[in-house]
Amino acid sequence: MTQLEDAAAGRVTEAMRQVAEYENTDSETIRQQVAAGAVVIPKNINHAFIARGVGKGLKTKVNANIGTSPSHFDLSEELGKLDVAVAAGADAVMDLSTGGDLGEILTSIIAHSPVMIGTVPIYKTVSRVMAENRPCAEVTEDEIFDEIEFQAKTGVDFITVHCGITRQSIQVLEKSNRLMGIVSRGGSLMAEWIVKNHAENPLYEKFDRLLDICREYDVTLSLGDGLRPGTIFDAEDGAQITEMITLGQLAEQARNAGVQVMIEGPGHVPLSRIAGDMKMQKRICGGAPYYVLGPLPTDIAAGYDHITAAIGGAIAAASGADFLCYVTPAEHLSLPTIEDVREGVIASKIAAHIGDLEKGVASAWDRDRKMSEARNRFDWQTMFSVCIDPEKAKKMRLRSEDRDRDVCTMCGDMCALKTHRRAFDKK
Ligand code: SF4
């Protein structure tokens, strides 16, 4: 039984109660939102952890991608990234490993994780084929679905599958004059499979087979945007929109089959068009939760793309995005280190928080009020307990010559708060 099937049958599950508690709302409201498909609770029946929800009316969630690569694989380092991501506030982690013992890495990450775990199964399927020196496009339909079944059985809570890469969307892509073709790793692999095999995408053509696996283990589908723009110049072109329409149709099919589903979104999008993209997705995909990568409103900030993504992510969240996939400073450059992962999560948490303020999430406003009231009375301990990154704030405060005074070295004796009081406080 999936959370959606229970919700549709009027049953409130323990997971719904856990979500309601975290969101400061009642579990009946959560049940109704899950039944409507506006909220998903990614929680595999084989993975024990405190559930979080993604969707309408809830706090904006943040995902951190981790994982090995064929040229750099160290399980302890990945578990270190998982710990740092969770400590920094990540609500989800995706294992995108493609190097080393993939089965052992995934099983270890799921066993070690107190938050929902996602994957892109095609990565592992193709990694195995490449390890056998077989061309990627030679991967068989059964290999694709067997890997998904293995991961579902292992306890993966949500999977990214590129069902929207179809013969039709590829035709649209080929006619488009994109600056950068396909930038999605999984999307490019499925496109090559279609072109080389002169056949339809099995994840699209045999969508029911996918639904059967997901229903059995309550795996949430994250319908991947394989044709997302990799540059602001390709944003919202025919290929991207064609794919979004297909994903909207598949999302409805999934909900009708009792399978939880969310939609993935862009990518590189000019700032002024991010809000519209969010509204368009909600319209085309029947209000399904929206999981966006960034978005990144400029292409030039290599080394600082976590900042770019935070700018785009704040607008996206404020405009309806429900789930932000973080971007680290290492994006477009190299595999992230543990410190990159931490920086990326913090940046995305700031974006998510700003989005929650705009969504009117009461606890978000309470937090900002608590911070500013503490700042106004020089209550540094409360400021440290409320701020987004206590560790960093403490470190910066302690390096200040005025660390033992109430003011800080920014202004010292010229502290504006003090000056204000001297000027206006009635004796
Ligand atoms: S010293 Fe300046 S920066 Fe520091 S608390 Fe006072 S006004 Fe703020």
Side-chain angles (χ1 to χ4, degrees):
M1 196 57 78
T2 68
Q3 295 292 330
L4 177 51
E5 287 172 323
D6 278 319
R11 287 185 293 271
V12 170
T13 64
E14 180 51 29
M16 293 174 201
R17 275 186 280 275
Q18 291 168 352
V19 170
E21 190 184 338
Y22 179 73
E23 302 289 341
N24 305 320
T25 185
D26 62 280
S27 47
E28 175 52 21
T29 300
I30 299 298
R31 183 199 67 75
Q32 289 170 10
Q33 294 286 37
V34 172
V39 164
V40 294
I41 304 177
K43 190 170 189 331
N44 186 305
I45 58 173
N46 293 337
H47 185 200
F49 66 99
I50 303 295
R52 291 268 168 90
V54 175
K56 192 176 178 197
L58 307 187
K59 298 170 187 171
T60 309
K61 304 299 182 304
V62 166
N63 171 70
N65 290 336
I66 65 172
T68 63
S69 77
S71 43
H72 183 102
F73 46 91
D74 176 338
L75 176 54
S76 63
E77 187 182 347
E78 296 311 319
L79 295 178
K81 291 176 186 175
L82 172 62
D83 290 341
V84 154
V86 171
D91 306 283
V93 167
M94 293 189 78
D95 171 22
L96 306 185
S97 295
T98 55
D101 180 336
L102 302 177
E104 187 210 359
I105 292 168
L106 178 60
T107 308
S108 306
I109 286 175
I110 290 172
H112 191 82
S113 178
V115 298
M116 62 179 99
I117 293 293
T119 62
V120 186
I122 197 68
Y123 290 178
K124 290 186 172 38
T125 316
V126 169
S127 299
R128 291 205 171 85
V129 164
M130 291 170 79
E132 296 159 9
N133 295 320
R134 289 164 55 203
C136 299
E138 258 192 32
V139 68
T140 67
E141 202 175 285
D142 283 343
E143 284 174 321
I144 291 172
F145 287 108
D146 290 351
E147 178 61 33
I148 292 170
E149 176 106 35
F150 164 78
Q151 296 196 6
K153 210 176 277 175
T154 306
V156 170
D157 303 294
F158 64 99
I159 54 171
T160 296
V161 279
H162 299 89
C163 311
I165 300 278
T166 63
R167 302 185 90 172
Q168 185 221 3
S169 59
I170 286 178
Q171 279 166 9
V172 175
L173 176 75
E174 287 173 321
K175 291 199 192 90
S176 74
N177 55 1
R178 271 199 171 188
L179 193 160
M180 296 176 71
I182 299 178
V183 297
S184 153
R185 195 194 299 173
S188 61
L189 290 167
M190 294 320 298
E192 182 192 28
W193 193 95
I194 291 171
V195 171
K196 294 282 176 60
N197 293 292
H198 309 288
E200 184 55 281
N201 179 351
L203 293 168
Y204 173 73
E205 195 169 52
K206 305 281 173 45
F207 192 61
D208 287 340
R209 187 172 171 184
L210 187 55
L211 294 178
D212 291 344
I213 297 169
C214 292
R215 191 185 310 109
E216 185 175 353
Y217 299 95
D218 199 2
V219 174
T220 296
L221 279 176
S222 188
L223 298 180
D225 58 334
L227 295 176
R228 69 172 173 273
T231 164
I232 56 175
F233 297 95
D234 291 344
E236 293 173 334
D237 68 354
Q240 184 194 346
I241 306 304
T242 301
E243 181 182 46
M244 188 187 277
I245 292 168
T246 304
L247 298 186
Q249 293 159 348
L250 293 173
E252 188 169 357
Q253 208 179 321
R255 287 188 293 264
N256 294 343
V259 171
Q260 301 191 88
V261 60
M262 56 187 169
I263 307 286
E264 296 190 4
H268 297 240
V269 182
L271 196 80
S272 61
R273 286 160 48 195
I274 292 175
D277 187 286
M278 304 302 122
K279 309 277 183 237
M280 177 172 58
Q281 181 273 343
K282 291 294 177 189
R283 178 80 181 83
I284 290 178
C285 301
Y290 203 19
Y291 176 26
V292 295
L293 176 56
L296 290 89
T298 181
D299 303 336
I300 65 152
Y304 297 87
D305 276 321
H306 58 308
I307 296 176
T308 310
I311 294 168
I315 294 168
S319 313
D322 308 287
F323 199 8
L324 302 180
C325 183
Y326 88 157
V327 168
T328 78
E331 186 75 15
H332 304 115
L333 300 169
S334 70
L335 204 64
T337 63
I338 289 179
E339 186 49 29
D340 292 334
V341 166
R342 209 179 80 81
E343 290 284 315
V345 172
I346 297 282
S348 280
K349 289 298 284 187
I350 295 170
H353 180 77
I354 293 167
D356 287 348
L357 291 169
E358 293 307 307
K359 282 172 176 171
V361 174
S363 58
W365 285 92
D366 294 347
R367 189 173 178 184
D368 278 61
R369 174 172 291 283
K370 200 170 174 193
M371 183 74 183
S372 302
E373 286 173 350
R375 184 171 279 150
N376 196 43
R377 62 174 187 270
F378 302 103
D379 176 353
W380 292 96
Q381 291 318 310
T382 301
M383 281 190 258
F384 293 147
S385 68
V386 172
C387 71
I388 200 94
D389 185 353
E391 202 185 306
K392 187 165 186 177
K394 277 182 199 148
K395 213 162 61 190
M396 291 190 154
R397 169 70 178 160
L398 291 175
R399 75 181 185 193
S400 124
E401 288 80 355
D402 293 322
R403 60 182 161 273
D404 303 323
R405 301 177 59 198
D406 51 4
V407 298
C408 67
T409 31
M410 178 73 86
C411 327
D413 294 331
M414 223 184 277
C415 173
L417 300 180
K418 294 210 159 195
T419 308
H420 174 93
R421 292 201 181 109
R422 252 195 338 267
F424 299 103
D425 282 8
K426 302 282 174 282
K427 293 282 176 282

